[in-house]
Amino acid sequence: MPGPGEVLVSIETYSPNRGEAFLLESPRPGWRPGKDVAGTVAATGPDVTWPEVGTRVVAHPESGGWAERVVVPVSRLAVLPDDIDMVVAAALPLAGLTALRLLKVCGPLAGKTVLITGASGGVGHYLVELAASQGAILTVVVGTPERGRRLRELGAADIVHDVTATVGPFDVVIESVGGDVLPQAWARLAGRGLLVWLGQASREPVTLDFFDWSGAESGTLRKFSYADSDSGEGDDLATLVRLVHTGRLHPEIGDVRPWSDTCAALADLVARKVRGNLVLKIDPGAPEPAAVPDEP
Ligand SMILES: NC(=O)c1ccc[n+]([C@@H]2O[C@H](COP(=O)([O-])OP(=O)(O)OC[C@H]3O[C@@H](n4cnc5c(N)ncnc54)[C@H](OP(=O)(O)O)[C@@H]3O)[C@@H](O)[C@H]2O)c1
């Protein structure tokens, strides 16, 4: 049951992220997956006056969200207007918070050239729409034309399938693939530009040669974690909800399935078959999902 400052959320939908699927390979003791959920407040902690039981919410628990119920601190949720569907809401937290906080780190982007690698996932779709609405001139890297289709509609000016197909220089690079891609992207950074490094989707480590002068003479390399933020999860979730509610942010839901399909859905997520976000729906009448294998 919820303690002080917490509510119990009865979950309707949750959204697994690819990074969480990898964590299943060697889970920490006591850890349970699940950070992105949408549902209804079922019970409140002793001191909680908001939100009330029955309120529709989107939430970002630290863990445990691939379930029918989860306890969440009030500081990690936002209230959902009736016109935001639970499927759409579940896709918001991790990917949306990451995109929003990346933009804060990048600073004003109006008129700047921006390169985004690994752009076909959940983070990439939010990032492209939010950066384009600021006036950034966006080049995105995706695996196939189909995986880039929606990004064009959301505001990407140029879509390529390999970083080496870009010319640059770019004022800002947002890099999440690692391996050879980071040094290739670094070589396309404009002088005194900013490269924000947020992930290693390829799972290949990065080697950078300081004495490779093929790129800019100087630049900033910033390692990014969405958890390092001056703003709280609840406030930023409320911003994302407001953007969706007012038609300025359009979550890209690549796949929606019943939660009994969790294992197959995770396999597709890992295999790069899902564009945008994967969302699973809890059907109270359906059997619980089979145990997730150690290596999805
Ligand atoms: N630092 C943070 O706080 C933070 C927070 C959230 C996420 N992340 C990271 O940010 C990245 C984006 O997250 P996400 O959830 O949107 O993405 P995701 O589903 O992991 O997608 C990443 C994209 O990278 C592309 N990619 C390119 N080369 C790849 C390769 N060799 N292996 C696998 N994928 C490759 C894939 O696109 P194509 O198939 O189209 O090539 C894939 O859609 C991930 O690396 C994630 O771990 C970091």
Side-chain angles (χ1 to χ4, degrees):
M1 287 303 286
E6 296 175 337
V7 297
L8 178 70
V9 176
S10 176
I11 298 172
E12 287 188 34
T13 51
Y14 60 89
S15 177
N17 298 281
R18 198 157 169 271
E20 289 178 287
F22 291 142
L23 289 178
L24 292 172
E25 292 171 13
S26 50
R28 294 187 309 274
W31 172 78
R32 289 180 304 138
K35 296 173 77 79
D36 294 356
V37 306
T40 306
V41 175
T44 58
D47 59 342
V48 173
T49 54
W50 174 97
E52 295 174 355
V53 170
T55 305
R56 303 170 80 246
V57 293
V58 56
H60 190 50
E62 298 274 7
S63 66
W66 297 1
E68 289 175 285
R69 285 174 293 279
V70 67
V71 171
V72 188
V74 169
S75 60
R76 297 180 71 89
L77 60 76
V79 170
L80 281 177
D82 287 343
D83 66 349
I84 298 186
D85 188 86
M86 290 287 184
V87 169
V88 169
L92 279 175
L94 179 59
L97 291 172
T98 301
L100 195 64
R101 292 172 175 183
L102 275 168
L103 292 180
K104 293 181 189 182
V105 163
C106 291
L109 292 177
K112 291 197 175 169
T113 51
V114 178
L115 173 68
I116 303 174
T117 63
S120 64
V123 175
H125 280 81
Y126 289 125
L127 197 53
V128 165
E129 185 168 17
L130 293 173
S133 70
Q134 279 191 40
I137 304 157
L138 296 169
T139 298
V140 301
V141 188
V142 297
T144 63
E146 169 57 18
R147 291 174 75 70
R149 183 177 46 80
R150 180 68 177 140
L151 295 171
R152 170 97 55 206
E153 294 165 1
L154 293 174
D158 200 8
I159 298 179
V160 297
H161 308 303
D162 197 311
V163 178
T164 57
T166 66
V167 180
F170 297 98
D171 300 314
V172 176
V173 174
I174 302 174
E175 207 298 282
S176 63
V177 174
D180 291 340
V181 174
L182 194 147
Q184 289 164 351
W186 177 261
R188 286 156 177 79
L189 193 66
R192 298 188 183 181
L194 169 67
L195 188 150
V196 184
W197 184 20
L198 78 145
Q200 207 154 277
S202 67
R203 311 185 87 187
E204 296 290 335
V206 167
T207 303
L208 269 182
D209 180 358
F210 186 88
F211 295 105
D212 176 359
W213 300 113
S214 56
E217 203 156 348
S218 69
T220 299
L221 174 60
R222 160 120 189 208
K223 185 176 178 186
F224 171 89
S225 168
Y226 90 110
D228 176 13
S229 169
D230 291 334
S231 48
E233 280 67 28
D235 287 344
D236 283 351
L237 278 176
T239 297
L240 293 166
V241 166
R242 197 166 51 248
L243 289 168
V244 174
H245 181 59
T246 53
R248 287 176 289 163
L249 188 64
H250 300 85
E252 180 65 11
I253 316 292
D255 200 357
V256 184
R257 299 202 204 174
W259 75 325
S260 51
D261 230 5
T262 296
C263 286
L266 288 181
D268 282 353
L269 189 64
V270 168
R272 296 157 69 178
K273 292 182 183 165
V274 180
R275 202 161 41 83
N277 282 95
L278 164 69
V279 177
L280 298 175
K281 291 171 88 162
I282 291 185
D283 173 358
E288 287 192 16
V292 176
D294 286 343
E295 294 196 10

mmCIF file of all heavy atoms in Angstrom, residues 127-152:
data_model
loop_
_atom_site.group_PDB
_atom_site.id
_atom_site.type_symbol
_atom_site.label_atom_id
_atom_site.label_comp_id
_atom_site.label_asym_id
_atom_site.label_seq_id
_atom_site.Cartn_x
_atom_site.Cartn_y
_atom_site.Cartn_z
ATOM 1 N N LEU A 127 12.205 14.155 -29.833
ATOM 2 C CA LEU A 127 13.278 15.143 -30.006
ATOM 3 C C LEU A 127 13.112 15.903 -31.319
ATOM 4 O O LEU A 127 13.251 17.134 -31.371
ATOM 5 C CB LEU A 127 14.604 14.374 -29.989
ATOM 6 C CG LEU A 127 15.891 15.112 -29.769
ATOM 7 C CD1 LEU A 127 15.840 15.971 -28.517
ATOM 8 C CD2 LEU A 127 17.028 14.083 -29.647
ATOM 9 N N VAL A 128 12.825 15.166 -32.378
ATOM 10 C CA VAL A 128 12.679 15.809 -33.691
ATOM 11 C C VAL A 128 11.514 16.804 -33.674
ATOM 12 O O VAL A 128 11.654 17.947 -34.121
ATOM 13 C CB VAL A 128 12.484 14.734 -34.789
ATOM 14 C CG1 VAL A 128 11.961 15.374 -36.080
ATOM 15 C CG2 VAL A 128 13.805 14.014 -35.046
ATOM 16 N N GLU A 129 10.380 16.395 -33.140
ATOM 17 C CA GLU A 129 9.231 17.309 -33.167
ATOM 18 C C GLU A 129 9.494 18.555 -32.314
ATOM 19 O O GLU A 129 9.202 19.687 -32.734
ATOM 20 C CB GLU A 129 7.965 16.603 -32.693
ATOM 21 C CG GLU A 129 6.735 17.500 -32.827
ATOM 22 C CD GLU A 129 5.411 16.781 -32.643
ATOM 23 O OE1 GLU A 129 5.381 15.667 -32.097
ATOM 24 O OE2 GLU A 129 4.384 17.371 -33.060
ATOM 25 N N LEU A 130 10.085 18.365 -31.137
ATOM 26 C CA LEU A 130 10.318 19.514 -30.247
ATOM 27 C C LEU A 130 11.419 20.429 -30.792
ATOM 28 O O LEU A 130 11.301 21.660 -30.736
ATOM 29 C CB LEU A 130 10.679 19.026 -28.842
ATOM 30 C CG LEU A 130 9.549 18.308 -28.096
ATOM 31 C CD1 LEU A 130 10.061 17.707 -26.783
ATOM 32 C CD2 LEU A 130 8.383 19.259 -27.825
ATOM 33 N N ALA A 131 12.484 19.842 -31.338
ATOM 34 C CA ALA A 131 13.578 20.673 -31.868
ATOM 35 C C ALA A 131 13.135 21.405 -33.137
ATOM 36 O O ALA A 131 13.459 22.581 -33.343
ATOM 37 C CB ALA A 131 14.804 19.806 -32.154
ATOM 38 N N ALA A 132 12.376 20.723 -33.999
ATOM 39 C CA ALA A 132 11.897 21.364 -35.234
ATOM 40 C C ALA A 132 10.971 22.527 -34.903
ATOM 41 O O ALA A 132 11.004 23.569 -35.571
ATOM 42 C CB ALA A 132 11.184 20.337 -36.109
ATOM 43 N N SER A 133 10.182 22.378 -33.861
ATOM 44 C CA SER A 133 9.252 23.462 -33.516
ATOM 45 C C SER A 133 10.001 24.686 -32.997
ATOM 46 O O SER A 133 9.480 25.794 -33.007
ATOM 47 C CB SER A 133 8.205 22.994 -32.502
ATOM 48 O OG SER A 133 8.827 22.775 -31.262
ATOM 49 N N GLN A 134 11.241 24.497 -32.558
ATOM 50 C CA GLN A 134 12.085 25.636 -32.141
ATOM 51 C C GLN A 134 12.745 26.317 -33.330
ATOM 52 O O GLN A 134 13.340 27.373 -33.184
ATOM 53 C CB GLN A 134 13.218 25.146 -31.242
ATOM 54 C CG GLN A 134 12.870 24.918 -29.802
ATOM 55 C CD GLN A 134 14.160 24.716 -29.007
ATOM 56 O OE1 GLN A 134 15.170 25.385 -29.222
ATOM 57 N NE2 GLN A 134 14.130 23.792 -28.084
ATOM 58 N N GLY A 135 12.734 25.629 -34.479
ATOM 59 C CA GLY A 135 13.400 26.203 -35.647
ATOM 60 C C GLY A 135 14.748 25.608 -35.958
ATOM 61 O O GLY A 135 15.515 26.174 -36.753
ATOM 62 N N ALA A 136 15.058 24.456 -35.387
ATOM 63 C CA ALA A 136 16.332 23.785 -35.702
ATOM 64 C C ALA A 136 16.271 23.219 -37.120
ATOM 65 O O ALA A 136 15.200 22.852 -37.608
ATOM 66 C CB ALA A 136 16.583 22.665 -34.702
ATOM 67 N N ILE A 137 17.431 23.140 -37.763
ATOM 68 C CA ILE A 137 17.526 22.533 -39.098
ATOM 69 C C ILE A 137 18.085 21.127 -38.869
ATOM 70 O O ILE A 137 19.273 20.952 -38.578
ATOM 71 C CB ILE A 137 18.451 23.366 -40.002
ATOM 72 C CG1 ILE A 137 17.935 24.807 -40.049
ATOM 73 C CG2 ILE A 137 18.551 22.752 -41.390
ATOM 74 C CD1 ILE A 137 19.006 25.814 -40.422
ATOM 75 N N LEU A 138 17.198 20.129 -39.020
ATOM 76 C CA LEU A 138 17.510 18.794 -38.510
ATOM 77 C C LEU A 138 17.921 17.802 -39.578
ATOM 78 O O LEU A 138 17.219 17.624 -40.580
ATOM 79 C CB LEU A 138 16.281 18.221 -37.806
ATOM 80 C CG LEU A 138 15.806 18.952 -36.555
ATOM 81 C CD1 LEU A 138 14.445 18.429 -36.132
ATOM 82 C CD2 LEU A 138 16.808 18.757 -35.446
ATOM 83 N N THR A 139 19.042 17.114 -39.316
ATOM 84 C CA THR A 139 19.423 15.936 -40.094
ATOM 85 C C THR A 139 19.331 14.743 -39.152
ATOM 86 O O THR A 139 19.885 14.789 -38.042
ATOM 87 C CB THR A 139 20.861 16.067 -40.611
ATOM 88 O OG1 THR A 139 20.940 17.195 -41.476
ATOM 89 C CG2 THR A 139 21.280 14.814 -41.388
ATOM 90 N N VAL A 140 18.615 13.683 -39.572
ATOM 91 C CA VAL A 140 18.459 12.521 -38.697
ATOM 92 C C VAL A 140 19.008 11.277 -39.375
ATOM 93 O O VAL A 140 18.953 11.147 -40.600
ATOM 94 C CB VAL A 140 16.983 12.302 -38.280
ATOM 95 C CG1 VAL A 140 16.445 13.507 -37.551
ATOM 96 C CG2 VAL A 140 16.115 11.962 -39.486
ATOM 97 N N VAL A 141 19.539 10.366 -38.536
ATOM 98 C CA VAL A 141 20.064 9.101 -39.058
ATOM 99 C C VAL A 141 19.163 7.973 -38.569
ATOM 100 O O VAL A 141 18.942 7.829 -37.359
ATOM 101 C CB VAL A 141 21.509 8.851 -38.567
ATOM 102 C CG1 VAL A 141 22.090 7.634 -39.280
ATOM 103 C CG2 VAL A 141 22.376 10.074 -38.798
ATOM 104 N N VAL A 142 18.630 7.198 -39.524
ATOM 105 C CA VAL A 142 17.750 6.059 -39.196
ATOM 106 C C VAL A 142 18.169 4.867 -40.065
ATOM 107 O O VAL A 142 18.858 5.038 -41.078
ATOM 108 C CB VAL A 142 16.262 6.389 -39.454
ATOM 109 C CG1 VAL A 142 15.784 7.512 -38.556
ATOM 110 C CG2 VAL A 142 16.034 6.754 -40.915
ATOM 111 N N GLY A 143 17.700 3.653 -39.666
ATOM 112 C CA GLY A 143 18.142 2.444 -40.355
ATOM 113 C C GLY A 143 17.595 2.284 -41.761
ATOM 114 O O GLY A 143 18.300 1.821 -42.664
ATOM 115 N N THR A 144 16.328 2.641 -41.958
ATOM 116 C CA THR A 144 15.681 2.436 -43.261
ATOM 117 C C THR A 144 14.773 3.632 -43.568
ATOM 118 O O THR A 144 14.377 4.364 -42.653
ATOM 119 C CB THR A 144 14.794 1.177 -43.248
ATOM 120 O OG1 THR A 144 13.748 1.384 -42.277
ATOM 121 C CG2 THR A 144 15.582 -0.072 -42.888
ATOM 122 N N PRO A 145 14.383 3.804 -44.849
ATOM 123 C CA PRO A 145 13.468 4.901 -45.177
ATOM 124 C C PRO A 145 12.164 4.811 -44.384
ATOM 125 O O PRO A 145 11.642 5.816 -43.903
ATOM 126 C CB PRO A 145 13.207 4.705 -46.677
ATOM 127 C CG PRO A 145 14.409 3.973 -47.185
ATOM 128 C CD PRO A 145 14.860 3.098 -46.059
ATOM 129 N N GLU A 146 11.635 3.599 -44.197
ATOM 130 C CA GLU A 146 10.384 3.428 -43.457
ATOM 131 C C GLU A 146 10.531 3.942 -42.021
ATOM 132 O O GLU A 146 9.624 4.560 -41.470
ATOM 133 C CB GLU A 146 9.978 1.943 -43.488
ATOM 134 C CG GLU A 146 8.855 1.539 -42.557
ATOM 135 C CD GLU A 146 7.565 2.327 -42.777
ATOM 136 O OE1 GLU A 146 7.414 2.944 -43.849
ATOM 137 O OE2 GLU A 146 6.726 2.351 -41.845
ATOM 138 N N ARG A 147 11.687 3.717 -41.418
ATOM 139 C CA ARG A 147 11.882 4.145 -40.033
ATOM 140 C C ARG A 147 12.024 5.670 -39.925
ATOM 141 O O ARG A 147 11.917 6.238 -38.843
ATOM 142 C CB ARG A 147 13.081 3.427 -39.411
ATOM 143 C CG ARG A 147 12.789 1.946 -39.207
ATOM 144 C CD ARG A 147 13.972 1.166 -38.724
ATOM 145 N NE ARG A 147 14.303 1.366 -37.318
ATOM 146 C CZ ARG A 147 13.577 0.930 -36.295
ATOM 147 N NH1 ARG A 147 12.464 0.273 -36.521
ATOM 148 N NH2 ARG A 147 13.962 1.143 -35.060
ATOM 149 N N GLY A 148 12.242 6.316 -41.059
ATOM 150 C CA GLY A 148 12.361 7.772 -41.037
ATOM 151 C C GLY A 148 11.111 8.505 -41.499
ATOM 152 O O GLY A 148 11.019 9.729 -41.385
ATOM 153 N N ARG A 149 10.127 7.754 -41.994
ATOM 154 C CA ARG A 149 8.951 8.367 -42.629
ATOM 155 C C ARG A 149 8.263 9.399 -41.716
ATOM 156 O O ARG A 149 8.052 10.538 -42.091
ATOM 157 C CB ARG A 149 7.961 7.255 -43.016
ATOM 158 C CG ARG A 149 6.732 7.730 -43.757
ATOM 159 C CD ARG A 149 5.864 6.548 -44.160
ATOM 160 N NE ARG A 149 5.657 5.576 -43.084
ATOM 161 C CZ ARG A 149 4.774 5.722 -42.097
ATOM 162 N NH1 ARG A 149 4.019 6.800 -42.060
ATOM 163 N NH2 ARG A 149 4.634 4.806 -41.174
ATOM 164 N N ARG A 150 7.961 8.999 -40.519
ATOM 165 C CA ARG A 150 7.232 9.881 -39.603
ATOM 166 C C ARG A 150 8.103 11.076 -39.165
ATOM 167 O O ARG A 150 7.597 12.167 -38.901
ATOM 168 C CB ARG A 150 6.772 9.064 -38.390
ATOM 169 C CG ARG A 150 6.007 9.859 -37.369
ATOM 170 C CD ARG A 150 4.656 10.318 -37.873
ATOM 171 N NE ARG A 150 3.925 11.011 -36.823
ATOM 172 C CZ ARG A 150 3.183 12.097 -37.012
ATOM 173 N NH1 ARG A 150 3.043 12.597 -38.233
ATOM 174 N NH2 ARG A 150 2.568 12.674 -36.011
ATOM 175 N N LEU A 151 9.422 10.862 -39.128
ATOM 176 C CA LEU A 151 10.318 11.945 -38.699
ATOM 177 C C LEU A 151 10.283 13.102 -39.686
ATOM 178 O O LEU A 151 10.406 14.265 -39.305
ATOM 179 C CB LEU A 151 11.742 11.410 -38.529
ATOM 180 C CG LEU A 151 11.902 10.379 -37.405
ATOM 181 C CD1 LEU A 151 13.279 9.744 -37.442
ATOM 182 C CD2 LEU A 151 11.658 11.040 -36.047
ATOM 183 N N ARG A 152 10.120 12.778 -40.963
ATOM 184 C CA ARG A 152 9.977 13.842 -41.978
ATOM 185 C C ARG A 152 8.726 14.674 -41.664
ATOM 186 O O ARG A 152 8.768 15.894 -41.663
ATOM 187 C CB ARG A 152 9.866 13.206 -43.368
ATOM 188 C CG ARG A 152 9.478 14.166 -44.461
ATOM 189 C CD ARG A 152 10.619 14.713 -45.255
ATOM 190 N NE ARG A 152 11.472 13.713 -45.840
ATOM 191 C CZ ARG A 152 12.757 13.928 -46.144
ATOM 192 N NH1 ARG A 152 13.307 15.098 -45.880
ATOM 193 N NH2 ARG A 152 13.496 12.988 -46.696
#
